[in-house]
Amino acid sequence: MNATGYAMRTDQLTVRYGSFTALSEVSVGLRAGAITGLIGPNGAGKTTLLNALSGFTDVHSGVVYLEEKDVTTLAAHRRARAGVIRGFQTVRLLERESVLDNVLLGAERLHQPSDCSQILGLPAHWKWRTVARSKAADVLELLGLSSDSHRSVDSLPFASRRLVEVARVLISAPPVVLLDEPAAGLDQRGRIELAGALVRVHEQTGLTMAVVEHDIDFVTRLCGSVIAMDSGSHVMTGTPQEVFSDARVQIAYFGRAANAHA
Amino acid sequence: MTTQIRQLPATPSMMSPPPARWPHLSTVVIVGLIAAVPLVFFGDYWMFVAAKILAFGIAAMGLQILYGRAGLMSLAQGAFMGVGAYAGYLVAQSGLGPGIQLLAVIGAASLVALIVGLPTLRLSPLRLAIVTLAFGELFNWLLINSTEWTGGSQGAPVEPLIIFGFDTSYPLDAYLVALAFAVPLTLFALNLGQTHLGRRMMAIRDSEMAAVSVGVFIPKTKIIAFVLSAVFGGIGGWLYSATTGFIAPPDFDLFASVFLLAAVVIGGSRSVAGAWMGTAFIVLLPEGFNLIGQPNLYALAGGLLLATTALLLPDGFSGVFAHIKSLITRMRAQEDRA
Ligand SMILES: Nc1ncnc2c1ncn2[C@@H]1O[C@H](COP(=O)(O)OP(=O)(O)OP(=O)(O)O)[C@@H](O)[C@H]1O
Ligand SMILES: [Mg+2]
C-alpha cells in the first residue's frame, strides 16, 4: 500500500467525446483493499470513469494513478497485466464457447508458459493448464456456475452470462477489480448472493474493487464507501448511508430530496 | 450470509456433457479414413489423390487456425503453399536434402508472413483479406517474372523428396511421406485447442474488448496465428510439389486460396476435423465426376453442390457431427432419467 491509501485514483480527470464532456475534472480514489460503490443516474459518467481507469478511453486531461504511478497513457492490455481487470456493462463473451473457456480466458494474467511451449504441447503447458483449470473450478463454484461449466454461454440465461463475466474477471485474483453493473438483470435473491460472493472473494484476497450499481440495497450490502457522480462531475464520497441520504444525490437521482430509504 | 448463487439452469445437467474428447476422436477417424483410401483402392492413381488431399489438408488446417480460430480471413493461403513449394525447390536446386528444405520452407513461410502481417494485422478483417489478396497476386507475378529462378509461367520439374528411402516420385511413397507430416501437424493443430494461446485467438475472433480487458496484446497473438497458418501452408505446398513432381505458378494462385477457404468453410471452420473433411470433399468431388465419366459436369454441378452445402450447413460437415453428438448425449441423459 502507498501513502495515500488509494490503490487507484484520478486527479482532475477530464474525458471528452468530441465537444461533449463526459467527465469533468474528476478527482476520486479507490481505497486499497476496500469495495467502493460508484453511483449516479444514467449518463453520469460511471462507465466512462471505469473506461478511463482501465485504459479503454483516451483522457483529455488529468492523471490516472495506479499505486501512485501515473498510468494515464498505459495501454489497456498493459493496465490489465498490471492488475486492473474490468467487466463490461454489456457483457463481452466468446458466445459459442463454453463457460469454462470463457472463464479461463481471464487466466491470461497468470504467469504462462511461452507460446512456443504451448504450441508444441510441452509439459509446462499441461501443468499450467491443470493449475488454471483448478482456479476456474474454484471461481465457478463460488459463483454457482459449476454445473454449467461445459455449456455454451449463448445458451445461458442473461443473469448467468453476467456471472460468467464476473468469473472471468475474478479467476486471476487481480489486485484491482472494476465491475460495471454486475447485478443488472439478477433477481433479488441473485443480487444478495452475488454480493455475498463478492464479499467472500474480497475477504479471501483483500482486493480493491469498484462496483457500478444503481441498487441501493446492493451497494449498502457490499460497499464500505460510495462515490456519487452526476453529469460527469464528482458529487460526493462517503459511506452508503451518508451518500444515499444526501440531498444532492437525491436530487440527481429523483429530481428532489426525499427521506433516506437505504 | 448465503454465498452460493444457484440459478436453476434452463435445462439441467443433460446440457452439461463431459469436456469434448469427441472432436479429437472424429479427427482421428477422418484422418484414418483418408489414410485408408489408398488401401481400399490400392492403385497408384488413388494414392496420388490421397497424397494430394494430405498436402492440401495441411494447408487447410493452417487456414482453419487463422480463419476459424482467430477470425482473420486470408486469401493468400494458396500463395503461402507456393512460398513453401518454391523455397523447397530453390534449396533443392542447390543440392540440399529434405531436412534443410523443410527448414527453408518453415523459415520462408514465417518470414513472408511476418513481412505481410506486421504492417497489416491492425487492419480490419475485411482490409486484411484484401491485403492478402494483393499479396497473393504480387507473389504470382513475381513467380512468373523471375523465370531464371522459378521456371516462370512454364513451371519447372521438382526433384522428388527421398526420406529414409521413401521416394516421392512413387505415389505410395509420396502418400506415406505426406502422412508422416500430416499426423504430427494434425496433433499440433488439435493441441492448439487445449492451449491458452488458442483461447486468446478465439477471443480475438469473438471480442477484442474481452481479450484486451484480460491483458491480451492483440497484435502479437494475430501474428502468431498468421505465422502458424503460413507454416502449415508452406509445408502443404512443399509436399504438394513433391507429390506432383512439378511446380507452376497457377497451382498457387487466387483460385488455390479460394479453394482452401471453401474447404475450411464447407468442412466447418470451427474444428480441425472440418478442415480435413472439407479438403477431402473438395478434392474428391471432381474425381467423383471423373469416375462417372462426366468430368465436364464438375464446374456446374460441383459448384452447385458446394453452394448448397455451404447454405445448408452453417457449421459445415463437422457441425453436423457435433449436432449428432449432442443429440446422442441428450438421448442418453433422457434414458438415464427414465
Ligand atoms: N463513446 C462515446 N461517444 C460519445 N459519447 C459517449 C460515449 N460514451 C459515453 N458517452 C456519453 O457520455 C455520457 C456518460 O456516459 P457513461 O456511459 O459514462 O454513463 P453511465 O454513468 O455509465 O450511465 P449508465 O447508467 O446509463 O450506464 C453519456 O451522456 C453518454 O452518452
Ligand atoms: Mg454505464
Side-chain angles (χ1 to χ4, degrees), chain B residues 146-305:
Chain B
S146 45
T147 311
E148 64 280 22
W149 291 84
T150 62
S153 55
Q154 297 301 308
V158 173
E159 291 289 313
L161 294 175
I162 298 173
I163 302 174
F164 297 125
F166 293 95
D167 177 343
T168 59
S169 50
Y170 301 100
L172 175 63
D173 290 21
Y175 167 73
L176 291 173
V177 166
L179 192 63
F181 282 94
V183 170
L185 287 171
T186 303
L187 293 177
F188 281 132
L190 285 174
N191 175 64
L192 195 60
Q194 301 294 317
T195 64
H196 192 72
L197 175 65
R199 198 172 292 120
R200 270 189 336 239
M201 290 178 186
M202 297 195 301
I204 287 172
R205 176 194 68 199
D206 291 348
S207 171
E208 292 201 357
M209 295 257 265
V212 171
S213 79
V214 298
V216 175
F217 181 50
I218 289 179
K220 184 182 169 200
T221 303
K222 282 186 175 174
I223 277 286
I224 293 172
F226 201 51
V227 168
L228 266 181
S229 105
V231 167
F232 275 69
I235 294 176
W238 177 57
L239 293 170
Y240 178 76
S241 68
T243 300
T244 59
F246 197 79
I247 41 171
D251 287 343
F252 311 114
D253 63 5
L254 179 61
F255 181 77
S257 297
V258 172
F259 179 92
L260 287 165
L261 198 58
V264 168
V265 169
I266 284 171
S269 66
R270 298 179 72 88
S271 77
V272 177
W276 281 111
M277 281 190 263
T279 307
F281 181 67
I282 220 165
V283 174
L284 289 175
L285 198 59
E287 301 297 337
F289 284 101
N290 283 339
L291 268 188
I292 58 170
Q294 301 284 352
N296 296 331
L297 261 184
Y298 168 60
L300 182 65
L304 265 172
L305 200 53

Side-chain angles (χ1 to χ4, degrees), chain A residues 56 76-77 80-81 85-86 88 92-97 101 104-109 112 115 118-121 125-126 128-129 141-144 147-148 150-151 159-160 163 168 186 189-190 192-194 196-197 200, chain B residues 1-13 15-20 188 191-200 202-218 220 224 228 270 315:
Chain A
F56 274 73
H77 76 278
R81 288 183 192 179
I85 304 289
R86 65 168 298 170
F88 296 93
R92 313 264 173 193
L93 298 170
L94 318 189
E95 287 297 336
R96 295 183 54 192
E97 304 303 327
D101 267 317
L104 281 169
L105 178 64
E108 172 73 14
R109 226 176 58 79
Q112 279 175 60
D115 291 329
Q118 294 189 44
I119 292 169
L120 298 177
H125 148 65
W126 293 102
W128 186 87
R129 184 173 176 273
E141 173 79 41
L142 177 77
L143 293 168
S147 65
D148 291 332
H150 295 290
R151 278 178 73 175
S160 309
L163 295 182
R168 182 183 76 209
L186 296 185
R189 182 155 137 250
I192 292 173
E193 287 168 348
L194 176 61
R200 199 157 94 181
Chain B
M1 182 179 330
T2 43
T3 49
Q4 270 293 13
I5 297 186
R6 191 141 294 281
Q7 268 133 9
L8 284 181
T11 28
S13 59
M15 288 296 287
S16 304
F188 281 132
N191 175 64
L192 195 60
Q194 301 294 317
T195 64
H196 192 72
L197 175 65
R199 198 172 292 120
R200 270 189 336 239
M202 297 195 301
I204 287 172
R205 176 194 68 199
D206 291 348
S207 171
E208 292 201 357
M209 295 257 265
V212 171
S213 79
V214 298
V216 175
F217 181 50
I218 289 179
K220 184 182 169 200
I224 293 172
L228 266 181
R270 298 179 72 88
D315 286 332

Side-chain angles (χ1 to χ4, degrees), chain A residues 217-261:
Chain A
D217 186 48
F218 186 81
V219 171
T220 310
R221 198 178 281 277
L222 191 61
C223 305
S225 74
V226 174
I227 296 169
M229 302 192 44
D230 186 28
S231 315
S233 298
H234 175 211
V235 176
M236 70 175 294
T237 299
T239 65
Q241 289 73 18
E242 285 165 6
V243 170
F244 286 119
S245 59
D246 190 274
R248 288 167 298 175
V249 173
Q250 292 186 353
I251 288 168
Y253 256 107
F254 311 109
R256 62 185 163 78
N259 290 328
H261 51 310

Side-chain angles (χ1 to χ4, degrees), chain A residues 42-43 45-48 89 180-181 212 214:
Chain A
N42 293 113
K46 308 179 294 293
T47 299
T48 305
Q89 186 167 356
D180 202 346
E181 306 195 16
V212 174
H214 290 290

Side-chain angles (χ1 to χ4, degrees), chain A residues 60 105 107 112 146 173 195-197 205 215 244:
Chain A
H60 178 262
L105 178 64
Q112 279 175 60
S146 299
T205 62
D215 187 82
F244 286 119

